[in-house]
Amino acid sequence: MSFAEVALPEQLVRALDAQSRMPITRIGEALVALGMITGDQLAAGLRQQRREPLVPLGETLVRMGAVSRGQLQTALVRKMGYPLVNLHVFPPAAEALRKVGHAVARRLQVMPLMLHEGRLVIAIDDPTSRYSVIDEVQFVAQMKVIPVVGQCLDLDSVLGAAYEKIGDVADGGGGGAANLDPMRPLEFDMAGTSELLQTLEKEGPAPAPAESPIEQSDNSLVRMINSMIQEAHRDGASDIHIESYPGQEKTRIRFRRDGLLYTYLELPPSYRNAIVARVKIMCDLDISEKRNPQDGKINFAKYSPQHKIELRVATIPTNNGLEDVVMRILASAKPLPMQSLGLSPDNLRRLTHAVERPYGMVLCVGPTGSGKTTTLHSALMHINTPERKIWTAEDPVEITQNGLRQVQINPRIGWTFAKALRAFVRADPDVIMVGEIRDEETAKTAIEASLTGHLVLSTLHTNSAPETVTRLLDMGMDPFNFADSLLAVLAQRLVRRICGHCVRSAPASEEAVEELLADYLHAFPAEEIPARRQATLDGWLQRFGRDGRLHLHSGAGCEHCAKTGFRGRVGIHELMTVSKELRRLVQSGARAEELLQAALKEGMRTLRQDGIEKVLAGQTTIEEVRATSNA
């Protein structure tokens, strides 16, 4: 057989025929025979592969640096007989492309080439990826796969051009939706691996019981779910949403990344019961209970030892007797240093001073998912010393750190925040962290604890720092006790951060600067705005100016940010520390607007103002700030 590049379908057919007559050779033996690795390197690679069984040996050796990817392909072609296809010139068949959607092909980095003897021929970097990519392609295409070696400088461009010809262009949202053919649903017997694999080898769908129980076996569905969790973690997603629809509508899987949802995968309706049941099995929930919500936790290291990921799982009954699943990825189990929270220097200094006080109450407020728990744990890490006893009551315990005594709340048995707080006070604490103040009893107990010599940290779901004070007073708190106990209120939001790989800057026009100034000064009384305008502009030029001009920043979109221009998130903050004047206003039951104006005079900056300064610093855009904060 010639090892020249294959460029035409008829050449590929001849190459596949020649490969079928070659003796079976293992990749390790092939690399040793070509002198590319030594026996010791092969043994080390095999040991590493035993620790990571899902990674092919060839890929393991590449990661170890024993061989290059080019050497691996040479061994695959010369010793194992895999055809080498030049993807820049090979004309892929439309029927092959339709078996695997553009988004799936791009995510898995495979190129469908043609159908041959009832099988789908695909080009891939490493055809020995048997238990990962190839099995997932079989799962999606619903037919057996023949892998060959693909040679290509830019696979994404080649895929885009090929799929554009058949009218299938994937969403540029990064890893995209895998749109399977709804007319050919894959149905399989979930009783075990052997039945599933036999079904996958057939071209047509096989009928199966609708409610067969799922075994925790190594089948394609299990691998697909494992791959989904790994990819969500790798892409920085915070949540995975599995959404079931009635009738013949597809089951949709969406990821939340940087606060926004995008579709990751769409599956035929025959999967909806199987995928929900599999997730329930992973977190030990009752698969027969479909009428009530359930919640649990997945320790993903049980299924993939190299991935130290925990997921919080909630199942929600929906109409038509279906269920949705939402999985929160708890990948960051360690607190961040306070310096990494994105606080402005002044806010960082004032918050640090507040949490270093021996007693009083510090509140962190904002909507769900705004990073309140992360902020409180960062503050706890700052004051977590052997001399302090720190108790926390949380629901659930997401972040752990040595030295804390952490308690999981369980309202179903009456173990509430208020009851835990009362127990903590009797357990000789120095610092108490309460996950959330949800009711009057918890609020009153927290205030009492802060007045009896303890530092109390907690969260509330309110929109701004001044509103937090009026909300607690409305809940029935004693104004004098509350005013005496409160040290600081930090309101925060998360906005998308401009991608550092594709950020671009341009001088801001006079109109844009005027718009930012008007937005920034809007919180101040009208009579103060003329005097503050020039001082504010001078301060901006001093801190953010370049060559005497302010600049605005945006992300152009690149492969690191999935063409969105944003990667990661940054916090915007509003910190109100309680002074003598603010304490007097709280005692008199002042309105939120009065508290706001008093705090502004003492140096507080609103969420919108802090966000505008982060816009000028190049961390985010004004559109992001306006979407998450009130003027």
Side-chain angles (χ1 to χ4, degrees):
M1 172 186 171
S2 170
F3 297 108
E5 290 180 0
V6 171
L8 297 171
E10 52 268 26
Q11 293 175 330
L12 183 53
V13 170
R14 289 197 296 270
L16 290 171
D17 183 57
Q19 183 195 13
S20 67
R21 296 194 297 269
M22 289 189 67
I24 296 175
T25 306
R26 295 182 177 179
I27 185 62
E29 297 169 355
L31 290 167
V32 171
L34 290 169
M36 294 177 177
I37 61 171
T38 65
D40 290 341
Q41 287 175 314
L42 175 58
L46 291 169
R47 286 196 297 271
Q48 179 64 24
Q49 194 196 22
R50 282 194 288 273
R51 289 192 288 269
E52 298 179 316
L54 297 180
V55 181
L57 177 59
E59 179 65 23
T60 298
L61 292 168
V62 170
R63 293 181 185 180
M64 292 171 58
V67 295
S68 67
R69 204 165 291 280
Q71 289 176 314
L72 176 63
Q73 286 196 339
T74 300
L76 291 167
V77 174
R78 291 182 57 188
K79 284 293 184 180
M80 302 181 72
Y82 283 105
L84 178 65
V85 180
N86 184 338
L87 301 183
H88 291 287
V89 297
F90 189 95
E95 58 185 357
L97 294 171
R98 291 192 181 97
K99 291 291 183 183
V100 182
H102 182 195
V104 178
R106 187 176 62 182
R107 177 169 59 85
L108 299 179
Q109 291 292 285
V110 301
M111 179 70 178
L113 298 176
M114 60 187 290
L115 299 183
H116 176 61
E117 296 180 351
R119 298 186 177 195
L120 175 65
V121 182
I122 64 167
I124 186 173
D125 264 354
D126 181 2
T128 61
S129 306
R130 175 64 195 164
Y131 296 109
S132 52
V133 173
I134 293 174
D135 274 354
E136 188 164 348
V137 174
Q138 290 182 155
F139 180 84
V140 170
Q142 306 170 37
M143 63 191 308
K144 200 73 172 176
V145 162
I146 302 175
V148 300
V149 178
Q151 193 167 60
C152 179
L153 297 176
D154 185 359
L155 183 57
D156 285 345
S157 296
V158 172
L159 285 169
Y163 278 96
E164 192 170 2
K165 290 179 181 177
I166 66 167
D168 179 7
V169 181
D171 180 7
N179 297 309
L180 305 184
D181 184 355
M183 302 306 296
R184 303 188 63 226
L186 174 62
E187 299 180 10
F188 47 81
D189 182 358
M190 298 305 300
T193 306
S194 59
E195 292 86 352
L196 172 60
L197 294 179
Q198 289 172 13
T199 304
L200 284 172
E201 293 183 6
K202 299 176 182 178
E203 289 192 48
E211 299 294 334
S212 299
I214 295 182
E215 300 292 338
Q216 294 192 55
S217 54
D218 187 22
N219 56 38
S220 291
L221 177 67
V222 171
R223 285 194 292 274
M224 188 273 289
I225 293 175
N226 290 350
S227 174
M228 173 184 75
I229 293 172
Q230 292 169 18
E231 189 155 343
H233 178 241
R234 185 171 63 248
D235 288 352
S238 60
D239 300 87
I240 301 170
H241 294 245
I242 301 173
E243 300 166 348
S244 304
Y245 295 92
Q248 291 303 303
E249 291 190 61
K250 295 177 181 177
T251 295
R252 184 165 60 165
I253 299 173
R254 296 197 286 171
F255 288 173
R256 186 181 296 279
R257 185 177 60 207
D258 298 338
L260 299 181
L261 283 167
Y262 71 92
T263 302
Y264 163 75
L265 194 68
E266 289 183 344
L267 296 171
S270 53
Y271 286 80
R272 60 177 167 237
N273 293 325
I275 193 169
V276 172
R278 172 61 191 166
V279 172
K280 284 183 175 182
I281 286 172
M282 293 176 76
C283 50
D284 297 321
L285 298 181
D286 183 358
I287 64 172
S288 64
E289 176 57 75
K290 298 184 177 183
R291 296 175 298 174
N292 289 312
Q294 299 184 72
D295 58 83
K297 229 176 187 182
I298 296 175
N299 178 10
F300 192 62
K302 286 168 50 180
Y303 307 97
S304 180
Q306 67 270 32
H307 292 92
K308 308 299 181 186
I309 308 170
E310 284 193 345
L311 299 100
R312 191 173 77 215
V313 180
T315 68
I316 314 291
T318 59
N319 63 331
N320 297 288
L322 302 176
E323 289 180 283
D324 277 18
V325 177
V326 178
M327 296 189 278
R328 167 67 59 89
I329 300 175
L330 311 176
S332 176
K334 299 298 176 186
L336 295 171
M338 287 185 70
Q339 294 80 1
S340 302
L341 291 174
L343 290 156
S344 67
D346 184 55
N347 281 344
L348 177 62
R349 177 184 58 79
R350 293 195 296 153
L351 181 62
T352 303
H353 178 69
V355 300
E356 287 175 347
R357 299 281 289 274
Y359 58 88
M361 186 159 63
V362 176
L363 300 174
C364 188
V365 304
T368 301
S370 58
K372 301 186 296 296
T373 302
T374 299
T375 297
L376 289 189
H377 268 281
S378 297
L380 289 177
M381 184 172 72
H382 179 74
I383 59 176
N384 183 7
T385 63
E387 295 79 29
R388 286 191 177 96
K389 180 64 174 281
I390 302 175
W391 286 97
T392 77
E394 302 171 71
D395 185 22
V397 176
E398 295 183 17
I399 301 173
T400 58
Q401 50 179 307
N402 292 332
L404 303 190
R405 308 308 301 145
Q406 296 181 262
V407 171
Q408 170 73 54
I409 293 303
N410 189 350
R412 285 177 292 186
I413 61 171
W415 183 232
T416 62
F417 282 119
K419 187 174 286 188
L421 195 48
R422 287 195 296 270
F424 292 167
V425 172
R426 297 191 295 268
D428 189 28
D430 294 299
V431 181
I432 297 171
M433 195 269 269
V434 185
E436 184 183 343
I437 292 178
R438 295 176 179 172
D439 51 47
E440 180 182 352
E441 182 184 11
T442 307
K444 286 183 175 179
T445 310
I447 291 172
E448 290 168 5
S450 66
L451 290 172
T452 53
H454 310 106
L455 179 66
V456 178
L457 285 71
S458 190
T459 73
L460 266 86
H461 289 107
T462 53
N463 291 323
S464 69
E467 286 178 36
T468 303
V469 174
T470 56
R471 172 75 62 83
L472 285 167
L473 291 176
D474 289 343
M475 288 172 64
M477 301 303 103
D478 178 83
F480 288 89
N481 285 345
F482 181 42
D484 288 342
S485 70
L486 188 62
L487 298 175
V489 183
L490 177 71
Q492 68 179 60
R493 302 287 190 277
L494 293 177
V495 295
R496 290 189 294 171
R497 185 191 294 271
I498 295 173
C499 175
H501 294 278
C502 61
V503 61
R504 57 187 180 187
S505 305
S509 65
E510 290 187 15
E511 293 80 4
V513 173
E514 286 298 325
E515 188 179 348
L516 288 176
L517 276 170
D519 212 351
Y520 188 90
L521 298 171
H522 181 73
F524 295 105
E527 63 272 12
E528 295 183 19
I529 290 177
R532 288 182 177 272
R533 183 186 179 284
Q534 192 59 45
T536 301
L537 182 57
D538 291 343
W540 286 355
L541 287 168
Q542 181 180 352
R543 284 178 291 157
F544 310 118
R546 286 185 296 178
D547 301 324
R549 296 196 64 179
L550 296 173
H551 287 65
L552 294 179
H553 313 266
S554 62
C558 63
E559 65 275 10
H560 297 282
C561 61
K563 307 296 183 184
T564 63
F566 297 96
R567 183 174 176 85
R569 290 195 283 181
V570 64
I572 58 174
H573 305 90
E574 175 181 295
L575 178 62
M576 184 177 78
T577 51
V578 180
S579 63
K580 289 183 179 178
E581 174 61 18
L582 280 168
R583 186 168 286 113
R584 184 187 64 78
L585 288 172
V586 174
Q587 290 170 345
S588 64
R591 295 179 296 110
E593 181 62 28
E594 296 176 75
L595 294 170
L596 172 64
Q597 293 304 324
L600 287 172
K601 287 180 181 178
E602 295 177 359
M604 185 190 86
R605 291 298 172 258
T606 65
L607 287 164
R608 177 67 65 89
Q609 291 171 334
D610 189 57
I612 290 172
E613 297 207 342
K614 287 183 167 67
V615 169
L616 295 170
Q619 297 180 24
T620 187
T621 65
I622 188 62
E623 292 78 16
E624 283 290 307
V625 173
R626 286 172 178 160
T628 56
S629 63
N630 293 322

